[in-house]
Amino acid sequence: MLIVADSAIPYLDGLFEPFADVVRLDGGKIGPADVRHADALIVRTRTRCDAGLLSGSRVKLIATATIGFDHIDTLYCRRRGIAVATAAGCNAGGVLQWVAAALVELLARRGAEPGQLTLGVVGAGNVGSLVQRHAEVWGFRVLCCDPPRQMRGQEGFVPLERIVAESDIITLHVPLDSTTRHMADSRFFRSLRPGCMLLNSSRGEVVDTAALTAAGLDCAIDVWENEPLIDRRLLAQAVVATPHIAGYSAQGKANATAAAVRAVASHFTLPVQFRHPAGTEPVVRRPIGWQELCASIGSRFDIAAQTRQLKSHPEQFEHMRDSYLYRQEYF
């Protein structure tokens, strides 16, 4: 069998080679000729998996080492009998760390403390629920919005309108689909409380870039519309600006690769097991207070330095992302 895999996915080398031919390619350049005789693809968000790529191929499984799957035409895959596997929840700890670092920066800029502020969490999946639990420990009043979970009868959620009306900070953790594309639009920003701040580590297209720049909010942005050709006005406006690396912890990357490996091994009945390399073992979650967070996060994740680098060299967005030194989770 033949497996085509994104060359930027770590910890994958040597696992499948005893049982399959493995071709590693630049994810953004994988084309129809590369996958024509492939049985499985292991990809990231840079590989658009649709009819243009897959038509005429023998691909039976796409395993994406990401939590999102908006780069995969799931309807086409379903019609073609192509299985799709994601790495849901793999990088929740890494994104939590990014949110923590961004909040420290934003609050320092304002001279504010968590106990003075309401944090609105939009999307309460693996990431959003983790952010909620830690933010409550840090002292924020936390409101959560998740319409799909609320419709399934889960309690504790409030409408988006209340998030918009009452929050001093809003952090977005939703998947990208037809209901969330440009969810944060001009109407959304007009309805915010004065001085509200925004964090986006979900997908760039969840936010209408033109509307956000017109609103002039203090914001922390990790995901951008039209990556890697990011909007320079929004880059200048952002207090925190990073090149889509919120989930880039060593643990998160290993978790993502592990999920992809399990999916391929299970689908094709291969005797392959993933073992976490040293330094990528899962972290035992622990509550960490705001003061400890403020004192420790800078040495673990210098988000201000990352912001300066991206603002100085936005044309290197993709290089910064691909060469990023994975950070260690510690809470």
Side-chain angles (χ1 to χ4, degrees):
M1 67 176 292
L2 174 63
I3 298 172
V4 174
D6 187 318
S7 58
I9 295 175
Y11 317 126
L12 189 60
D13 290 342
L15 292 178
F16 287 107
E17 280 77 355
F19 312 100
D21 294 322
V22 180
V23 177
R24 305 293 300 270
L25 300 171
D26 182 326
K29 297 178 181 179
I30 294 175
D34 302 311
V35 308
R36 187 169 306 279
H37 301 293
D39 299 283
L41 306 182
I42 304 178
V43 300
R44 301 183 305 152
T45 56
R46 290 301 185 253
T47 304
R48 177 66 187 169
C49 299
D50 55 12
L53 178 70
L54 300 167
S55 180
S57 77
R58 69 183 193 196
V59 171
K60 294 300 180 186
L61 170 70
I62 300 170
T64 182
T66 62
I67 60 173
F69 51 90
D70 49 279
H71 54 295
I72 301 173
D73 186 337
T74 54
L75 179 59
Y76 174 82
C77 290
R78 190 158 53 247
R79 288 172 175 169
R80 283 285 309 277
I82 301 172
V84 175
T86 74
C90 67
N91 65 355
V95 179
L96 169 68
Q97 191 179 52
W98 182 90
V99 170
L103 287 172
V104 169
E105 286 291 310
L106 288 167
L107 268 63
R109 181 183 177 94
R110 296 285 182 89
E113 293 292 328
Q116 303 168 313
L117 304 172
T118 296
L119 176 69
V121 178
V122 182
N126 289 297
V127 176
S129 59
L130 193 59
V131 169
Q132 175 192 3
R133 293 196 298 271
H134 282 263
E136 288 172 345
V137 172
W138 297 333
F140 290 96
R141 173 186 179 234
V142 181
L143 299 175
C144 283
C145 170
D146 196 308
R149 285 177 170 78
Q150 191 170 17
M151 289 178 64
R152 292 196 294 268
Q154 296 184 30
E155 298 180 351
F157 299 113
V158 302
L160 181 61
E161 291 77 13
R162 186 174 169 192
I163 295 280
V164 169
E166 298 185 23
S167 297
D168 301 291
I169 309 172
I170 295 175
T171 183
L172 304 176
H173 301 289
V174 297
L176 177 63
D177 58 28
S178 60
T179 68
T180 61
R181 187 177 297 274
H182 281 192
M183 177 185 71
D185 57 10
S186 56
R187 179 181 178 183
F188 176 96
F189 292 117
R190 285 196 302 270
S191 303
L192 294 177
R193 298 182 67 177
C196 185
M197 298 171 276
L198 179 77
L199 286 73
N200 188 17
S201 56
S202 58
R203 283 292 184 264
E205 292 78 9
V206 169
V207 174
D208 182 332
T209 298
L212 175 54
T213 53
L217 272 66
D218 282 350
C219 55
I221 305 295
D222 179 64
V223 290
W224 313 71
E225 288 193 288
N226 304 313
E227 292 178 13
L229 304 177
I230 64 177
D231 188 281
R232 305 301 171 85
R233 296 169 302 166
L234 180 56
L235 178 62
Q237 175 183 333
V239 177
V240 169
T242 52
H244 201 153
I245 49 80
Y248 275 30
S249 65
Q251 290 76 14
K253 282 296 181 180
N255 291 340
T257 300
V261 169
R262 285 194 299 270
V264 175
S266 175
H267 190 89
F268 295 98
T269 319
L270 300 175
V272 177
Q273 291 186 334
F274 182 87
R275 292 181 173 82
H276 281 258
T280 71
E281 298 87 353
V283 172
V284 176
R285 299 287 166 218
R286 65 180 181 91
I288 179 174
W290 181 252
Q291 295 307 317
E292 182 184 354
L293 175 65
C294 291
S296 61
I297 192 69
S299 62
R300 303 285 189 144
F301 180 17
D302 191 346
I303 203 169
Q306 182 71 71
T307 297
R308 290 192 296 270
Q309 184 182 10
L310 183 58
K311 284 177 177 276
S312 297
H313 299 286
E315 75 284 355
Q316 295 182 13
F317 184 98
E318 202 73 347
H319 172 72
M320 291 179 195
R321 190 179 189 220
D322 288 342
S323 62
Y324 187 79
L325 182 62
Y326 305 137
R327 59 189 182 272
Q328 288 288 325
E329 298 175 23
Y330 71 103
F331 63 87

